[in-house]
Amino acid sequence: MHHFHFRENTLLCEDVPVKEIAAKVGTPFYLYSHATLKRHFQVFSTAFSGIDNLICYSAKANSNQAILRLFADLGCGLDIVSGGELYRGLKAGFTPERVVYSGVGKNTDEIDFALREGIRMFNVESLVELELINDRAGLLDKRAPIAIRVNPNVDPKTHPYISTGLKKNKFGLDAEAALDGYRRAMQMDHVEVVGVACHIGSQITDADPFEEALKSLKAMILELKQMSIRIKYLDMGGGLGITYADETPPPIEAYADSIIEQLKDLDLTLVLEPGRVLVGNAGILVTRVLFRKSGSVKNFIIV
């Protein structure tokens, strides 16, 4: 639900006519609804209140500084994939201990920045990255909290370009390689294993892939327990879709209930990384029509 609506053929945002805003600030501009953003976060947070959780807004969905500041003020955490997003997040008011760093391409400067700031954890996506984080933490006299991103080979039933949980995707490690990573991490002096991470894709409109991935992750957590590795955080990523045309994503409450039910016997904190489900319909691009151009085949509106 959002706070954009028409009244007497006039578009309003939170009862303010959009044309009045355009007259004051000029066009083009992006217009976001504070009430929509706040409501979406609160609905998401309430749905998962039955389990210890950390909701980390996915900065890649929209890194507008005002939006970041709003979520920080609401007590949200932040999911980042770059040093730039970490910088923007800190400037917006996110505390480092509420930041989770994902992404396959972390460079040395970015890792050092995150280590110095003291983020919640790194979601490690390869064994070479694990080695690099251990080395950098040692040079900085730090101990890096890490989770390994597990690729559960689950089909998210979404567009292939935004599918991230299959073996052919570049993200994460398969179960066997992930277990090898955890064994290596336990022998390293400058990393601390704190979690298991996963992200199977974006714009997912069916709860079944999440449930399937969760079963695989639970099995891994139990196997790690047998290896005397206690997992404090399970990062399920994001990916819940929204309606663009005729999509019918599950209600957030149903999505939450299916996850909570499977985790009720595990003593851990659930980390979630919602993105478009929080911001996807919370803003519009406002432009002014300059010309109407008629052609022999097609008509155009120039803005």
Side-chain angles (χ1 to χ4, degrees):
M1 184 177 177
H2 56 78
H3 288 76
F4 292 92
H5 59 277
F6 282 93
R7 183 186 301 157
E8 297 178 357
N9 208 33
T10 296
L11 179 61
L12 298 101
C13 175
E14 300 180 26
D15 294 324
V16 178
V18 172
K19 63 183 180 182
E20 290 185 7
I21 302 173
K24 289 185 177 180
V25 305
T27 57
F29 65 95
Y30 287 102
L31 176 63
Y32 300 103
S33 166
H34 184 285
T36 300
L37 293 163
K38 184 176 180 180
R39 181 181 183 279
H40 284 179
F41 174 76
Q42 290 175 335
V43 168
F44 203 95
S45 179
T46 299
F48 283 95
S49 60
I51 189 172
D52 188 23
N53 69 80
L54 174 63
I55 297 173
C56 294
Y57 167 63
S58 183
K60 70 178 76 65
N62 189 323
S63 59
N64 177 283
Q65 204 68 12
I67 290 176
L68 293 178
R69 190 177 305 114
L70 168 61
F71 286 134
D73 290 344
L74 290 173
C76 189
L78 190 66
D79 162 49
I80 63 168
V81 294
S82 71
E85 288 182 351
L86 176 56
Y87 179 83
R88 293 178 70 87
L90 295 175
K91 287 293 185 182
F94 289 95
T95 56
E97 61 269 19
R98 298 182 72 82
V99 174
V100 173
Y101 194 167
S102 307
V104 295
K106 307 176 185 73
N107 67 38
T108 299
D109 290 344
E110 293 172 317
I111 291 170
D112 289 356
F113 181 23
L115 284 168
R116 290 191 183 98
E117 293 296 332
I119 65 168
R120 174 69 60 103
M121 66 181 179
F122 293 88
N123 287 342
V124 175
E125 306 233 13
S126 65
L127 298 180
V128 287
E129 181 191 324
L130 177 63
E131 297 280 355
L132 178 60
I133 290 175
N134 181 63
D135 290 345
R136 301 311 302 177
L139 289 171
L140 295 174
D141 195 25
K142 303 280 187 180
R143 198 147 186 253
I146 65 106
I148 291 179
R149 178 170 173 175
V150 182
N151 184 327
N153 198 32
V154 169
D155 184 357
K157 303 175 185 176
T158 187
H159 192 285
Y161 287 178
I162 49 177
S163 168
T164 60
L166 295 170
K167 284 186 176 180
K168 63 182 180 180
N169 298 134
K170 65 179 177 282
F171 302 94
L173 297 165
D174 63 35
E176 184 177 347
L179 286 172
D180 181 37
Y182 280 113
R183 293 188 189 98
R184 295 192 193 187
M186 291 298 290
Q187 304 303 315
M188 293 178 176
D189 294 328
H190 302 289
V191 298
E192 177 188 5
V193 174
V194 296
V196 171
C198 174
H199 181 83
I200 60 173
S202 299
Q203 186 53 15
I204 302 170
T205 56
D206 184 349
D208 289 348
F210 293 110
E211 295 179 16
E212 186 180 348
L214 187 50
K215 290 177 183 177
S216 175
L217 296 172
K218 281 183 66 177
M220 171 160 287
I221 290 171
L222 293 175
E223 189 166 355
L224 292 173
K225 186 176 181 181
Q226 296 299 316
M227 296 163 55
S228 299
I229 299 176
R230 179 182 176 272
I231 297 302
K232 295 192 290 185
Y233 307 110
L234 171 58
D235 188 339
M236 282 292 294
L240 186 62
I242 62 175
T243 300
Y244 288 95
D246 56 359
E247 299 94 338
T248 55
I252 290 177
E253 293 80 3
Y255 161 71
D257 289 346
S258 65
I259 292 177
I260 293 172
E261 178 64 24
Q262 292 199 60
L263 294 180
K264 62 184 181 181
D265 57 338
L266 296 179
D267 180 23
L268 49 73
T269 297
L270 175 65
V271 179
L272 297 154
E273 301 169 355
R276 81 179 70 208
V277 73
L278 297 185
V279 300
N281 67 352
I284 60 174
L285 172 61
V286 182
T287 63
R288 185 181 304 276
V289 174
L290 300 177
F291 311 109
R292 296 176 185 270
K293 178 180 176 182
S294 297
S296 59
V297 177
K298 187 180 290 186
N299 297 324
F300 301 90
I301 292 177
I302 312 299
V303 298

